[in-house]
mmCIF file of all heavy atoms in Angstrom:
data_model
loop_
_atom_site.group_PDB
_atom_site.id
_atom_site.type_symbol
_atom_site.label_atom_id
_atom_site.label_comp_id
_atom_site.label_asym_id
_atom_site.label_seq_id
_atom_site.Cartn_x
_atom_site.Cartn_y
_atom_site.Cartn_z
ATOM 1 N N GLY A 157 84.082 89.396 96.912
ATOM 2 C CA GLY A 157 83.400 88.518 96.009
ATOM 3 C C GLY A 157 81.907 88.531 96.210
ATOM 4 O O GLY A 157 81.239 88.431 95.199
ATOM 5 N N VAL A 158 81.431 88.587 97.353
ATOM 6 C CA VAL A 158 79.967 88.601 97.550
ATOM 7 C C VAL A 158 79.364 89.981 97.035
ATOM 8 O O VAL A 158 78.309 89.904 96.402
ATOM 9 C CB VAL A 158 79.770 88.559 99.114
ATOM 10 C CG1 VAL A 158 78.299 88.870 99.384
ATOM 11 C CG2 VAL A 158 79.976 87.213 99.733
ATOM 12 N N ALA A 159 80.099 91.057 97.145
ATOM 13 C CA ALA A 159 79.654 92.249 96.523
ATOM 14 C C ALA A 159 79.645 92.147 95.024
ATOM 15 O O ALA A 159 78.725 92.679 94.392
ATOM 16 C CB ALA A 159 80.601 93.397 96.927
ATOM 17 N N ALA A 160 80.585 91.485 94.371
ATOM 18 C CA ALA A 160 80.641 91.249 92.956
ATOM 19 C C ALA A 160 79.371 90.524 92.645
ATOM 20 O O ALA A 160 78.796 90.716 91.535
ATOM 21 C CB ALA A 160 81.912 90.647 92.499
ATOM 22 N N LEU A 161 79.110 89.446 93.363
ATOM 23 C CA LEU A 161 77.986 88.572 93.032
ATOM 24 C C LEU A 161 76.678 89.378 93.158
ATOM 25 O O LEU A 161 75.782 89.325 92.341
ATOM 26 C CB LEU A 161 77.786 87.412 94.053
ATOM 27 C CG LEU A 161 78.835 86.263 93.815
ATOM 28 C CD1 LEU A 161 78.673 85.292 94.922
ATOM 29 C CD2 LEU A 161 78.712 85.720 92.490
ATOM 30 N N LEU A 162 76.509 90.265 94.171
ATOM 31 C CA LEU A 162 75.380 91.146 94.319
ATOM 32 C C LEU A 162 75.164 92.177 93.152
ATOM 33 O O LEU A 162 74.135 92.493 92.689
ATOM 34 C CB LEU A 162 75.381 91.870 95.662
ATOM 35 C CG LEU A 162 75.137 90.986 96.929
ATOM 36 C CD1 LEU A 162 75.400 91.779 98.193
ATOM 37 C CD2 LEU A 162 73.717 90.403 96.819
ATOM 38 N N LYS A 163 76.362 92.644 92.760
ATOM 39 C CA LYS A 163 76.313 93.620 91.632
ATOM 40 C C LYS A 163 75.970 92.963 90.369
ATOM 41 O O LYS A 163 75.470 93.560 89.416
ATOM 42 C CB LYS A 163 77.849 94.205 91.532
ATOM 43 C CG LYS A 163 78.093 95.306 92.409
ATOM 44 C CD LYS A 163 77.419 96.602 91.984
ATOM 45 C CE LYS A 163 78.288 97.842 92.150
ATOM 46 N NZ LYS A 163 77.671 99.027 91.625
ATOM 47 N N SER A 164 76.164 91.679 90.215
ATOM 48 C CA SER A 164 75.876 90.913 88.980
ATOM 49 C C SER A 164 74.313 90.560 88.787
ATOM 50 O O SER A 164 73.943 90.088 87.873
ATOM 51 C CB SER A 164 76.677 89.682 88.865
ATOM 52 O OG SER A 164 76.270 88.609 89.790
ATOM 53 N N LEU A 165 73.658 90.783 89.958
ATOM 54 C CA LEU A 165 72.151 90.485 89.939
ATOM 55 C C LEU A 165 71.459 91.387 89.020
ATOM 56 O O LEU A 165 71.813 92.665 88.956
ATOM 57 C CB LEU A 165 71.639 90.510 91.297
ATOM 58 C CG LEU A 165 72.122 89.402 92.295
ATOM 59 C CD1 LEU A 165 71.530 89.628 93.667
ATOM 60 C CD2 LEU A 165 71.685 88.030 91.853
ATOM 61 N N PRO A 166 70.392 90.948 88.279
ATOM 62 C CA PRO A 166 69.665 91.886 87.506
ATOM 63 C C PRO A 166 68.840 92.849 88.451
ATOM 64 O O PRO A 166 68.566 92.573 89.593
ATOM 65 C CB PRO A 166 68.682 90.985 86.834
ATOM 66 C CG PRO A 166 68.782 89.661 87.343
ATOM 67 C CD PRO A 166 69.962 89.560 88.357
ATOM 68 N N GLU A 167 68.820 94.097 87.917
ATOM 69 C CA GLU A 167 68.081 95.097 88.657
ATOM 70 C C GLU A 167 66.555 94.736 88.819
ATOM 71 O O GLU A 167 65.982 94.128 87.924
ATOM 72 C CB GLU A 167 68.149 96.491 87.928
ATOM 73 C CG GLU A 167 69.500 96.937 87.689
ATOM 74 C CD GLU A 167 69.962 98.008 88.734
ATOM 75 O OE1 GLU A 167 69.098 98.707 89.240
ATOM 76 O OE2 GLU A 167 71.139 98.312 88.764
ATOM 77 N N ASP A 168 65.992 95.047 90.020
ATOM 78 C CA ASP A 168 64.635 94.682 90.221
ATOM 79 C C ASP A 168 63.701 95.798 89.539
ATOM 80 O O ASP A 168 63.926 97.081 89.748
ATOM 81 C CB ASP A 168 64.293 94.896 91.729
ATOM 82 C CG ASP A 168 62.905 94.562 92.121
ATOM 83 O OD1 ASP A 168 62.152 94.192 91.199
ATOM 84 O OD2 ASP A 168 62.623 94.663 93.262
ATOM 85 N N PRO A 169 62.932 95.404 88.535
ATOM 86 C CA PRO A 169 62.132 96.228 87.750
ATOM 87 C C PRO A 169 61.069 97.004 88.465
ATOM 88 O O PRO A 169 60.585 97.980 87.915
ATOM 89 C CB PRO A 169 61.655 95.414 86.638
ATOM 90 C CG PRO A 169 61.526 94.041 87.191
ATOM 91 C CD PRO A 169 62.681 94.064 88.221
#
Side-chain angles (χ1 to χ4, degrees):
V158 171
L161 290 173
L162 291 171
K163 282 284 224 176
S164 73
L165 294 174
E167 300 257 344
D168 183 2

